[in-house]
Structures are given as structure tokens and as C-alpha cells.
Amino acid sequence: MAPPEEGRDRSVRPMESSIRTGLTRGSTYAGYLDLDRLLSAQHPRSEPEHHDELLFIVQHQTSELWFKLVLHELRAARRHLADDEPAPALKCLARVKSIERTLTEQWSVLATLTPREYAQFRGVLGSASGFQSAQYRAVEFILGNKNAAVLAVFDGDPDARAVLDGLLAEPTLYDEFLRMLARRGFAVPSEVLTRDVREPWEFQPGLVPVFRAVYEDPDAPWDVYEACESLVDIEDNLQFWRFRHLRTVQRTIGGKTGTGGSSGVGFLRRALDLTFFPELYAVRTEIGT
């Protein structure tokens, strides 16, 4: 007599009897995630539709979703710092760092798009450009790279303009961190605490001794030291993202101007000179001297 298992297709895994079936749309995975809308939001414009245009759209849509979460976490971290709660703020920043690494790695997917492939549908973008990403600009604003001049780009989008106007008038993540340090007894200069938060951050030499004390004093509060390093991590990761963006654009369109009117690679290269937390880098020169 043959063994009872003989002849059975072992590649088919039986479904567990406890798995729910016959669900209504409102209680399903697809319903919870609103997949009907999400997966129908890709609208290639090339005619006939170019195979690689879907890659280009999905790449940028997923980036926007990640930027939405980054902004959500940075707002929460800023709120926790304002409430003297560094521990949950650090948790939010840890998540931001993981998202940044994911965003950076995504460029490797877009880099599979060859110059010839992109050229075949680039024209349908018209003047659409990543420069017009309100969420990316919001991330830059909350980190301190504020530029009121770019608001004009969003005059045609009142909702986006309102978000950016709000962030322009609000303290940055760094502002709230420094205010927390002052409340905890660190000698943060008064001009830093009373600065016009609508202005982009400028290097404050008076902060360097403050951070030197944090880094050199073994008895300095660990959460303050950890927050300093987390801010450096966030800036480093964003710079890696900027660099991968630059290199992906360079290998795809070379020296062409951007679809939004920028100089393209030259514009992206200048962005590498922007910094959010310059004192946290400057202090490294002073440590141990």
C-alpha cells in the first residue's frame, strides 16, 4: 500500500480554516489601504504609452508618500522637544533616518532608466519638476532651510502654499531643540533663542562652545548627546539623498536643463552646499584641541 502522502502536490499549502473569507470591501486589506484609488493614480501621458513611464511615475509617487511620513515624524519630534520630551522625539528621528535610507536607495531603481528611454517620454512632463514638490520643500523648511522666494512656485496651489507659509512662520526642529537645551541650563545665546524664525538658519558661533561641552563632558546628559548625533545623521542622510539624486539625473539627462527651468545638474550640485545644523559639524574641529 502506498504511503498516504504519495501523489499529493506538496507545493500547495492548504489554507488555514480560521482565515476569514467573504469579507465586505470596507473590512479588507484593499479597503483599509484604499488601493482602488492608490493603484489607479498612475496616468502615463505618452502616446502610445511608453513602457518606462510607469517606473518614473511610481518612483516619484512613492517618494511623496515617504516625504509625507517624514514630515509627520518631524512635526511630532518638534512637538516633543517643545514639551521637554526628548525620548519620544528621538524615536521619531530614528524613524526619519530609516525613511531617508529607503529614499536614497530608491534612486537605484530610477537609475535603471537609460537616457534613450527617458528621452522618449520626457516631453510629456511639460514643466512638471521635482522642484515643485511642496512636501520636500516642507521638509527643508522644518529642518531650517527656509526660502520665502520659493513660495511663488506654489501660488497656483493654495493648500500647498498655506502649509509652507505656516512652516515658514513656525520654529524649526533645531529651534525647538535649542530652546529645550536652554530650559535645561545650557548657555544657548539669547540671540539664538529670539531670532526671527522666518529666516533661514545662519551659522551661530556662540553655539559651538555649547556643543563642545556636550561632546567633551562625560557627565553631559546622554539624551542631549544622542539628539545631537541624530540631527547629524539626519543631515548626512539627506545629503546622501541629494547626491544620489544628482548622480541619477546626471546619468539620465547629462547637462540638460531641468523640466521646471532649473539648470539641472548644476542646481542640484549647489544644493550639496546647504546645511541645516552647521554648529554640530563645526564643533568637531574643536573637540580635543
Side-chain angles (χ1 to χ4, degrees):
M1 181 179 294
E5 295 296 322
E6 188 173 321
R8 179 178 295 179
D9 184 354
R10 298 183 181 183
S11 66
V12 178
R13 183 177 64 174
M15 190 169 73
E16 296 176 359
S17 61
S18 60
I19 292 178
R20 295 184 177 89
T21 59
L23 299 174
T24 61
R25 178 68 180 176
S27 58
T28 64
Y29 172 84
Y32 175 73
L33 295 178
D34 203 3
L35 291 184
D36 284 347
R37 284 203 298 170
L38 182 65
L39 298 180
S40 62
Q42 296 74 47
H43 306 291
R45 297 184 180 182
S46 52
E47 295 183 4
E49 181 180 324
H50 191 280
H51 173 80
D52 299 297
E53 191 178 355
L54 182 61
L55 159 65
F56 190 83
I57 293 171
V58 169
Q59 167 87 23
H60 290 83
Q61 286 183 339
T62 52
S63 294
E64 288 297 328
L65 286 172
W66 285 125
F67 284 139
K68 181 175 183 176
L69 186 55
V70 166
L71 187 59
H72 175 71
E73 297 296 337
L74 291 176
R75 285 182 182 275
R78 183 180 63 176
R79 183 173 63 253
H80 286 307
L81 293 173
D83 292 338
D84 295 315
E85 299 172 342
L90 287 168
K91 176 62 170 64
C92 294
L93 297 184
R95 183 171 293 163
V96 169
K97 289 187 282 185
S98 293
I99 298 168
E100 287 178 320
R101 289 190 289 270
T102 297
L103 280 164
T104 299
E105 184 56 32
Q106 278 191 192
W107 288 119
S108 65
V109 182
L110 193 62
T112 65
L113 184 67
T114 68
R116 180 180 61 82
E117 290 166 343
Y118 184 40
Q120 289 175 318
F121 68 85
R122 187 180 187 231
V124 303
L125 271 66
S127 59
S129 166
F131 182 82
Q132 300 152 8
S133 169
Q135 291 196 122
Y136 172 72
R137 194 61 55 191
V139 170
E140 291 251 342
F141 274 24
I142 198 171
L143 290 177
N145 182 24
K146 297 184 178 183
N147 182 354
V150 305
L151 294 177
V153 175
F154 305 97
D155 283 344
D157 186 345
D159 291 339
R161 172 70 189 245
V163 170
L164 293 173
D165 275 331
L167 286 170
L168 187 69
E170 296 167 4
T172 68
L173 177 73
Y174 199 32
D175 285 320
E176 291 296 2
F177 175 56
L178 296 171
R179 292 175 183 183
M180 186 192 76
L181 291 188
R183 290 192 296 272
R184 292 179 64 169
F186 288 87
V188 178
S190 60
E191 61 268 23
V192 172
L193 300 174
T194 59
R195 80 179 192 92
D196 182 357
V197 297
R198 294 181 62 88
E199 295 297 321
W201 183 266
E202 294 185 358
F203 179 69
Q204 302 290 334
L207 281 175
V208 176
V210 176
F211 290 131
R212 182 173 183 174
V214 171
Y215 278 89
E216 291 190 330
D217 183 358
D219 296 322
W222 177 257
D223 56 359
V224 172
Y225 172 83
E226 188 177 4
C228 290
E229 286 297 277
S230 289
L231 292 176
V232 171
D233 289 339
I234 284 174
E235 174 156 344
D236 276 356
N237 287 348
L238 192 52
Q239 289 287 33
F240 294 148
W241 181 88
R242 286 169 171 167
F243 181 73
R244 286 299 302 274
H245 186 189
L246 162 66
R247 297 299 295 182
T248 301
V249 170
Q250 190 170 37
R251 70 181 288 163
T252 306
I253 67 169
K256 294 185 180 71
T257 58
T259 49
S262 75
S263 58
V265 169
F267 175 81
L268 297 175
R269 185 174 289 116
R270 289 191 296 275
L272 294 174
D273 293 328
L274 299 174
T275 180
F276 300 109
F277 319 118
E279 300 81 11
L280 287 171
Y281 289 88
V283 72
R284 282 146 167 79
T285 305
E286 306 298 323
I287 295 170
T289 59

